[in-house]
Amino acid sequence: MPITIDEGRRLFTITTDHATYQLGVHPLGFLMHYYYGPRTDGTDFSYLPQYRDRGLSPQPADAHDDRTVSCDAMPLEYPCQGSGDFRTVCLRVRRPVEGQDAWGCDLRYAGHRLLDQAPCPDGLPVMARPAGSGRTLQITLRDQEAGVEAVLYYTAYESCDVIARQAVIRNIGADGLTVVKAASAGLDLYQPQPWDALTLYGRWAGERNVQRQRLGHGTFAIGSTRGASSAQHNPFIAVCEPDAGEDHGCCYGLLLVYSGGFSIQAQRDQFDQTRLTMGMDDEGLAAVLAPGGSLTTPQAMLVFSAAGLGAMSRRLHDAIRGFLLPKAPALRPVLLNSWEACYFDIDEKRILTLARQAADLGMDMLVMDDGWFGHRDDDRSSLGDWTADRRKFPDGLSGLSAKIKAMGLKFGLWLEPEMVSMDSDLYRAHPEWVLAVPGRAPHSARDQYVLDMTNPEVAAYLWEKLSRLLAEDGIDYVKWDMNRNITEAWSNTPGRHGALLHDYIKAVYALLQRLTAAFPAVLFEGCAAGGGRFDAGMLACVPQIWCSDDTDPIERLAIQYGTSLAYPACVMTCHVSVSPNHQTGRSTPLTTRGIVAMAGVLGYELDPAALTDRQKDEIRAQVARYRDIAPLMMEGDLYRLTPGPDETELVGWMHVAKDRRRAVVSAVATAVHANAPTAYIRLAGLDPDTMYAIEGRPQPLSGQALMAGGLPLGEVRGDYPAWQLMLTAAGED
Ligand code: GLA
């Protein structure tokens, strides 16, 4: 059993394949964190925290002046404001006293149970239930006097070393209770060793760059107050030993299963203890709970690896693929997207020309991006009016899709359902449907407003429009975009203000889940001005997300490298676009563009009419190659072979099939020099005792040789050369 309970000592131990997590109850009822680290069976780690006289830290009254007891110094599972803990906490509540808000509570252990799974997702995406019973530990903490209860859930996913945590905050009798912070998880790394934090920061067209820094005294915080997980910070943090690298060192990975705003804090305290908290954005939170009411936090995935960042990533990848993603084939359709080919300049003739070329190049699907509806000739109008523009498409969408299907292709469509343009029939009919402060015009961004997704009339309108499109117009794929953030957390729906941003994203999930359930054959792709909502919450609803609007392959090296820290290849969509690149003006070889895009779900986003015959042949070969290697790359293990592009001029990675019989090695040189050193790359993840045939090389080599000595790639010449080599175990085809 992955969860064992020592009732006598009130000790709870969660064991996964390579890790152990232990918590227990202090004699005064505080829920203590004892241990999270390499797997050790049968150890009682309650000996680890040291209770010392911390006379200047506060003691609770029931400690009767025992100065060794202070929440300000002890490692705790779910610390709360008001318990004498001056550090960053997991829970902050307010309750009305004499017409004003008083704060604070003091949570103590009140009971535990073993469950088959966390019982209450409350409209939030969560990982699927693991096999076997009794995989979830529920611990209830209570402050009867304050009328608040925190119910904590821990679910063990043994094979991928993940512990999923979630908390439910309940009003158990307060006249009113306002939750202003409720983390999904806290983790006290209380031994005074130094830690590095790795986070993924960015901007539009430059998402998920890796930042690594030592955690000093004070609080390091990232988050999003935008109502979306954001391009600026991803809801992920890795905390690792300062010398940890790809294949060595202890690392903790925390990933939030949530697409709204979030908050992650890492605080090093006066005793050199490091506390991590992760949860939904609390700057935009004041959730009012009536007596009996509750607030469920998003799920947080915690993973531990004693074998470096590479193993941490692979375990997260397994967890996402195994327990989070909706079902989707490993080989997704290779598509041609109209955006960078035509932008808004589309009509039936142009789209059919693109479709014919996509078919000629061996692709599977034509995706019509923005510009097909209302009178949308640029980005200033028509969002919300999800009806084909008859000027451009005289036979409507169904006529167009029938013609595309007759070419043997699938047909995909771009939508941005959460938004409305100021210039649209929908906004003219329902100005009250947008998020806006009464009496004041809301902020616009890209000339659009945000629909109040919590308003049932909005949800009903969108369901009606979108389900009709999907039912009648032969659509095989939807790119669900979201191009701006929320500035006004004001709803016309009564009683919806304090947790509006949270309710908003839950309403998005509800609509997406309803549509994906009703149309299981349609492939949904997430998008938010590129990768502005690239998170595990979305990945519970859609199996793939557009990585970034930056399609420059050299820029993509950094974006995809950072993304791979937490997310597997099969969720990152990557397109080959034209050279020179539209975002950067840089020229790169088609081969390099193909190899970089094949690190995820491959697609194309260019005008084939501008290609030479040789380039067309190369694209046909890329598509065929991708079909061959995609299952391996999407389902296998990722090994990052080099540091990220900021630190090296040769970026390499490889995907290894789970049975280690096949592997694909990829590398890109980002700089060239005269009379330069030979490029080598050392491989990883192979079976040392297997002989591998290497594509294009006469001599087979053992896994051991390839991992110890590596592989010479040869001379680096020309602009951004790239290599992709297939390795096949002797005896395989
Ligand atoms: C966003 C997306 C792009 C494209 C445009 C269309 O920016 O990320 O891929 O779909 O919108 O307006």
PDB file of all heavy atoms in Angstrom, residues 204 339 344 369-370 376 414 446 479 481 483 527-530 546 549 605, ligand 1:
ATOM      1  N   TRP A 204       4.780  37.390 -24.203  1.00  0.00           N
ATOM      2  CA  TRP A 204       4.204  36.938 -25.460  1.00  0.00           C
ATOM      3  C   TRP A 204       5.352  36.658 -26.448  1.00  0.00           C
ATOM      4  O   TRP A 204       6.312  37.434 -26.546  1.00  0.00           O
ATOM      5  CB  TRP A 204       3.256  38.009 -26.035  1.00  0.00           C
ATOM      6  CG  TRP A 204       2.833  37.645 -27.426  1.00  0.00           C
ATOM      7  CD1 TRP A 204       1.945  36.672 -27.766  1.00  0.00           C
ATOM      8  CD2 TRP A 204       3.322  38.204 -28.647  1.00  0.00           C
ATOM      9  NE1 TRP A 204       1.854  36.584 -29.131  1.00  0.00           N
ATOM     10  CE2 TRP A 204       2.686  37.507 -29.706  1.00  0.00           C
ATOM     11  CE3 TRP A 204       4.248  39.198 -28.950  1.00  0.00           C
ATOM     12  CZ2 TRP A 204       2.936  37.800 -31.043  1.00  0.00           C
ATOM     13  CZ3 TRP A 204       4.495  39.482 -30.287  1.00  0.00           C
ATOM     14  CH2 TRP A 204       3.838  38.790 -31.319  1.00  0.00           C
ATOM     15  N   TRP A 339      -2.604  30.755 -40.556  1.00  0.00           N
ATOM     16  CA  TRP A 339      -2.285  32.050 -39.935  1.00  0.00           C
ATOM     17  C   TRP A 339      -1.059  32.719 -40.563  1.00  0.00           C
ATOM     18  O   TRP A 339      -1.154  33.752 -41.198  1.00  0.00           O
ATOM     19  CB  TRP A 339      -2.140  31.879 -38.422  1.00  0.00           C
ATOM     20  CG  TRP A 339      -1.860  33.157 -37.685  1.00  0.00           C
ATOM     21  CD1 TRP A 339      -0.765  33.438 -36.930  1.00  0.00           C
ATOM     22  CD2 TRP A 339      -2.673  34.350 -37.643  1.00  0.00           C
ATOM     23  NE1 TRP A 339      -0.842  34.701 -36.405  1.00  0.00           N
ATOM     24  CE2 TRP A 339      -2.005  35.281 -36.831  1.00  0.00           C
ATOM     25  CE3 TRP A 339      -3.903  34.697 -38.214  1.00  0.00           C
ATOM     26  CZ2 TRP A 339      -2.515  36.555 -36.590  1.00  0.00           C
ATOM     27  CZ3 TRP A 339      -4.412  35.963 -37.961  1.00  0.00           C
ATOM     28  CH2 TRP A 339      -3.717  36.872 -37.160  1.00  0.00           C
ATOM     29  N   PHE A 344      -5.155  37.589 -42.011  1.00  0.00           N
ATOM     30  CA  PHE A 344      -6.608  37.764 -42.150  1.00  0.00           C
ATOM     31  C   PHE A 344      -7.077  37.687 -43.610  1.00  0.00           C
ATOM     32  O   PHE A 344      -8.273  37.771 -43.887  1.00  0.00           O
ATOM     33  CB  PHE A 344      -7.032  39.107 -41.548  1.00  0.00           C
ATOM     34  CG  PHE A 344      -6.913  39.129 -40.053  1.00  0.00           C
ATOM     35  CD1 PHE A 344      -5.825  39.721 -39.429  1.00  0.00           C
ATOM     36  CD2 PHE A 344      -7.891  38.536 -39.259  1.00  0.00           C
ATOM     37  CE1 PHE A 344      -5.716  39.726 -38.053  1.00  0.00           C
ATOM     38  CE2 PHE A 344      -7.787  38.536 -37.875  1.00  0.00           C
ATOM     39  CZ  PHE A 344      -6.692  39.133 -37.271  1.00  0.00           C
ATOM     40  N   ASP A 369      -7.411  29.435 -39.613  1.00  0.00           N
ATOM     41  CA  ASP A 369      -7.191  30.223 -38.393  1.00  0.00           C
ATOM     42  C   ASP A 369      -8.111  31.444 -38.413  1.00  0.00           C
ATOM     43  O   ASP A 369      -9.188  31.443 -39.040  1.00  0.00           O
ATOM     44  CB  ASP A 369      -5.698  30.583 -38.282  1.00  0.00           C
ATOM     45  CG  ASP A 369      -5.237  30.751 -36.849  1.00  0.00           C
ATOM     46  OD1 ASP A 369      -5.500  31.816 -36.266  1.00  0.00           O
ATOM     47  OD2 ASP A 369      -4.607  29.828 -36.299  1.00  0.00           O
ATOM     48  N   ASP A 370      -7.694  32.504 -37.784  1.00  0.00           N
ATOM     49  CA  ASP A 370      -8.505  33.704 -37.581  1.00  0.00           C
ATOM     50  C   ASP A 370      -8.966  34.305 -38.926  1.00  0.00           C
ATOM     51  O   ASP A 370      -8.294  34.159 -39.944  1.00  0.00           O
ATOM     52  CB  ASP A 370      -7.637  34.727 -36.833  1.00  0.00           C
ATOM     53  CG  ASP A 370      -8.464  35.758 -36.103  1.00  0.00           C
ATOM     54  OD1 ASP A 370      -9.665  35.839 -36.353  1.00  0.00           O
ATOM     55  OD2 ASP A 370      -7.869  36.486 -35.287  1.00  0.00           O
ATOM     56  N   ARG A 376     -14.572  39.981 -40.035  1.00  0.00           N
ATOM     57  CA  ARG A 376     -13.260  40.114 -39.402  1.00  0.00           C
ATOM     58  C   ARG A 376     -12.151  40.182 -40.452  1.00  0.00           C
ATOM     59  O   ARG A 376     -11.568  39.164 -40.847  1.00  0.00           O
ATOM     60  CB  ARG A 376     -13.021  38.962 -38.432  1.00  0.00           C
ATOM     61  CG  ARG A 376     -11.780  39.167 -37.562  1.00  0.00           C
ATOM     62  CD  ARG A 376     -11.911  38.354 -36.310  1.00  0.00           C
ATOM     63  NE  ARG A 376     -10.670  38.156 -35.588  1.00  0.00           N
ATOM     64  CZ  ARG A 376     -10.319  38.855 -34.504  1.00  0.00           C
ATOM     65  NH1 ARG A 376     -11.091  39.826 -34.045  1.00  0.00           N
ATOM     66  NH2 ARG A 376      -9.190  38.558 -33.875  1.00  0.00           N
ATOM     67  N   TRP A 414     -10.229  27.815 -36.055  1.00  0.00           N
ATOM     68  CA  TRP A 414      -9.814  28.675 -34.932  1.00  0.00           C
ATOM     69  C   TRP A 414     -11.042  29.321 -34.305  1.00  0.00           C
ATOM     70  O   TRP A 414     -11.943  29.778 -34.999  1.00  0.00           O
ATOM     71  CB  TRP A 414      -8.886  29.755 -35.485  1.00  0.00           C
ATOM     72  CG  TRP A 414      -8.376  30.757 -34.486  1.00  0.00           C
ATOM     73  CD1 TRP A 414      -7.195  30.690 -33.811  1.00  0.00           C
ATOM     74  CD2 TRP A 414      -8.987  31.998 -34.092  1.00  0.00           C
ATOM     75  NE1 TRP A 414      -7.037  31.810 -33.010  1.00  0.00           N
ATOM     76  CE2 TRP A 414      -8.123  32.624 -33.162  1.00  0.00           C
ATOM     77  CE3 TRP A 414     -10.187  32.633 -34.421  1.00  0.00           C
ATOM     78  CZ2 TRP A 414      -8.413  33.858 -32.567  1.00  0.00           C
ATOM     79  CZ3 TRP A 414     -10.487  33.855 -33.825  1.00  0.00           C
ATOM     80  CH2 TRP A 414      -9.598  34.456 -32.906  1.00  0.00           C
ATOM     81  N   ARG A 446      -6.379  44.297 -27.545  1.00  0.00           N
ATOM     82  CA  ARG A 446      -6.602  43.813 -28.926  1.00  0.00           C
ATOM     83  C   ARG A 446      -8.042  44.132 -29.361  1.00  0.00           C
ATOM     84  O   ARG A 446      -8.683  43.325 -30.019  1.00  0.00           O
ATOM     85  CB  ARG A 446      -6.339  42.306 -29.017  1.00  0.00           C
ATOM     86  CG  ARG A 446      -5.749  41.892 -30.369  1.00  0.00           C
ATOM     87  CD  ARG A 446      -5.696  40.384 -30.551  1.00  0.00           C
ATOM     88  NE  ARG A 446      -4.953  40.022 -31.743  1.00  0.00           N
ATOM     89  CZ  ARG A 446      -5.102  38.899 -32.415  1.00  0.00           C
ATOM     90  NH1 ARG A 446      -5.953  37.987 -32.018  1.00  0.00           N
ATOM     91  NH2 ARG A 446      -4.387  38.653 -33.480  1.00  0.00           N
ATOM     92  N   LYS A 479      -8.964  25.029 -32.537  1.00  0.00           N
ATOM     93  CA  LYS A 479      -7.891  25.751 -31.825  1.00  0.00           C
ATOM     94  C   LYS A 479      -8.590  26.785 -30.949  1.00  0.00           C
ATOM     95  O   LYS A 479      -9.139  27.765 -31.455  1.00  0.00           O
ATOM     96  CB  LYS A 479      -6.966  26.415 -32.845  1.00  0.00           C
ATOM     97  CG  LYS A 479      -5.837  27.235 -32.232  1.00  0.00           C
ATOM     98  CD  LYS A 479      -4.927  27.751 -33.349  1.00  0.00           C
ATOM     99  CE  LYS A 479      -3.909  28.757 -32.887  1.00  0.00           C
ATOM    100  NZ  LYS A 479      -3.168  29.348 -34.012  1.00  0.00           N
ATOM    101  N   ASP A 481      -8.544  29.644 -28.691  1.00  0.00           N
ATOM    102  CA  ASP A 481      -7.608  30.721 -28.360  1.00  0.00           C
ATOM    103  C   ASP A 481      -8.167  31.606 -27.252  1.00  0.00           C
ATOM    104  O   ASP A 481      -9.371  31.560 -26.938  1.00  0.00           O
ATOM    105  CB  ASP A 481      -7.346  31.552 -29.632  1.00  0.00           C
ATOM    106  CG  ASP A 481      -5.980  32.223 -29.628  1.00  0.00           C
ATOM    107  OD1 ASP A 481      -5.372  32.348 -28.551  1.00  0.00           O
ATOM    108  OD2 ASP A 481      -5.529  32.641 -30.717  1.00  0.00           O
ATOM    109  N   ASN A 483      -6.922  35.578 -26.160  1.00  0.00           N
ATOM    110  CA  ASN A 483      -5.838  36.514 -26.461  1.00  0.00           C
ATOM    111  C   ASN A 483      -5.657  37.683 -25.503  1.00  0.00           C
ATOM    112  O   ASN A 483      -4.820  38.534 -25.752  1.00  0.00           O
ATOM    113  CB  ASN A 483      -6.020  37.058 -27.881  1.00  0.00           C
ATOM    114  CG  ASN A 483      -5.410  36.132 -28.914  1.00  0.00           C
ATOM    115  OD1 ASN A 483      -4.219  35.860 -28.871  1.00  0.00           O
ATOM    116  ND2 ASN A 483      -6.206  35.626 -29.822  1.00  0.00           N
ATOM    117  N   CYS A 527      -4.740  27.407 -26.703  1.00  0.00           N
ATOM    118  CA  CYS A 527      -3.908  28.490 -27.214  1.00  0.00           C
ATOM    119  C   CYS A 527      -4.292  29.736 -26.433  1.00  0.00           C
ATOM    120  O   CYS A 527      -5.454  29.898 -26.046  1.00  0.00           O
ATOM    121  CB  CYS A 527      -4.195  28.693 -28.703  1.00  0.00           C
ATOM    122  SG  CYS A 527      -3.275  30.055 -29.464  1.00  0.00           S
ATOM    123  N   ALA A 528      -3.343  30.610 -26.163  1.00  0.00           N
ATOM    124  CA  ALA A 528      -3.675  31.882 -25.523  1.00  0.00           C
ATOM    125  C   ALA A 528      -2.619  32.878 -25.969  1.00  0.00           C
ATOM    126  O   ALA A 528      -1.584  33.020 -25.332  1.00  0.00           O
ATOM    127  CB  ALA A 528      -3.692  31.748 -24.010  1.00  0.00           C
ATOM    128  N   ALA A 529      -2.872  33.535 -27.108  1.00  0.00           N
ATOM    129  CA  ALA A 529      -1.861  34.393 -27.713  1.00  0.00           C
ATOM    130  C   ALA A 529      -0.526  33.633 -27.700  1.00  0.00           C
ATOM    131  O   ALA A 529       0.457  34.067 -27.129  1.00  0.00           O
ATOM    132  CB  ALA A 529      -1.753  35.712 -26.958  1.00  0.00           C
ATOM    133  N   GLY A 530      -0.531  32.461 -28.304  1.00  0.00           N
ATOM    134  CA  GLY A 530       0.609  31.550 -28.192  1.00  0.00           C
ATOM    135  C   GLY A 530       0.448  30.740 -26.920  1.00  0.00           C
ATOM    136  O   GLY A 530      -0.612  30.180 -26.662  1.00  0.00           O
ATOM    137  N   TRP A 546      -0.776  25.136 -28.198  1.00  0.00           N
ATOM    138  CA  TRP A 546       0.143  25.892 -29.053  1.00  0.00           C
ATOM    139  C   TRP A 546       1.187  26.535 -28.141  1.00  0.00           C
ATOM    140  O   TRP A 546       0.876  27.275 -27.227  1.00  0.00           O
ATOM    141  CB  TRP A 546      -0.656  26.925 -29.840  1.00  0.00           C
ATOM    142  CG  TRP A 546       0.105  27.825 -30.771  1.00  0.00           C
ATOM    143  CD1 TRP A 546      -0.032  29.179 -30.854  1.00  0.00           C
ATOM    144  CD2 TRP A 546       1.073  27.460 -31.765  1.00  0.00           C
ATOM    145  NE1 TRP A 546       0.788  29.667 -31.841  1.00  0.00           N
ATOM    146  CE2 TRP A 546       1.492  28.641 -32.416  1.00  0.00           C
ATOM    147  CE3 TRP A 546       1.641  26.239 -32.167  1.00  0.00           C
ATOM    148  CZ2 TRP A 546       2.444  28.651 -33.436  1.00  0.00           C
ATOM    149  CZ3 TRP A 546       2.588  26.256 -33.185  1.00  0.00           C
ATOM    150  CH2 TRP A 546       2.972  27.440 -33.805  1.00  0.00           C
ATOM    151  N   ASP A 549       3.676  31.911 -30.145  1.00  0.00           N
ATOM    152  CA  ASP A 549       3.542  32.551 -31.457  1.00  0.00           C
ATOM    153  C   ASP A 549       4.908  32.790 -32.097  1.00  0.00           C
ATOM    154  O   ASP A 549       4.974  33.259 -33.238  1.00  0.00           O
ATOM    155  CB  ASP A 549       2.795  33.889 -31.336  1.00  0.00           C
ATOM    156  CG  ASP A 549       1.286  33.682 -31.307  1.00  0.00           C
ATOM    157  OD1 ASP A 549       0.833  32.554 -31.559  1.00  0.00           O
ATOM    158  OD2 ASP A 549       0.559  34.657 -31.032  1.00  0.00           O
ATOM    159  N   GLU A 605       2.975  26.080 -40.963  1.00  0.00           N
ATOM    160  CA  GLU A 605       2.243  27.353 -40.937  1.00  0.00           C
ATOM    161  C   GLU A 605       2.951  28.301 -41.902  1.00  0.00           C
ATOM    162  O   GLU A 605       3.682  29.202 -41.497  1.00  0.00           O
ATOM    163  CB  GLU A 605       2.236  27.880 -39.491  1.00  0.00           C
ATOM    164  CG  GLU A 605       1.277  29.017 -39.285  1.00  0.00           C
ATOM    165  CD  GLU A 605       0.933  29.273 -37.817  1.00  0.00           C
ATOM    166  OE1 GLU A 605       0.950  28.336 -37.000  1.00  0.00           O
ATOM    167  OE2 GLU A 605       0.658  30.435 -37.503  1.00  0.00           O
TER     168      GLU A 605
HETATM  169  C1  GLA B   1      -3.187  34.257 -31.451  1.00  0.00           C
HETATM  170  C2  GLA B   1      -2.632  32.872 -31.733  1.00  0.00           C
HETATM  171  C3  GLA B   1      -2.124  32.804 -33.136  1.00  0.00           C
HETATM  172  C4  GLA B   1      -3.231  33.172 -34.103  1.00  0.00           C
HETATM  173  C5  GLA B   1      -3.794  34.529 -33.769  1.00  0.00           C
HETATM  174  C6  GLA B   1      -5.019  34.840 -34.585  1.00  0.00           C
HETATM  175  O1  GLA B   1      -2.181  35.205 -31.383  1.00  0.00           O
HETATM  176  O2  GLA B   1      -1.637  32.537 -30.823  1.00  0.00           O
HETATM  177  O3  GLA B   1      -1.610  31.525 -33.419  1.00  0.00           O
HETATM  178  O4  GLA B   1      -4.230  32.184 -34.021  1.00  0.00           O
HETATM  179  O5  GLA B   1      -4.162  34.619 -32.391  1.00  0.00           O
HETATM  180  O6  GLA B   1      -5.543  36.068 -34.299  1.00  0.00           O
END
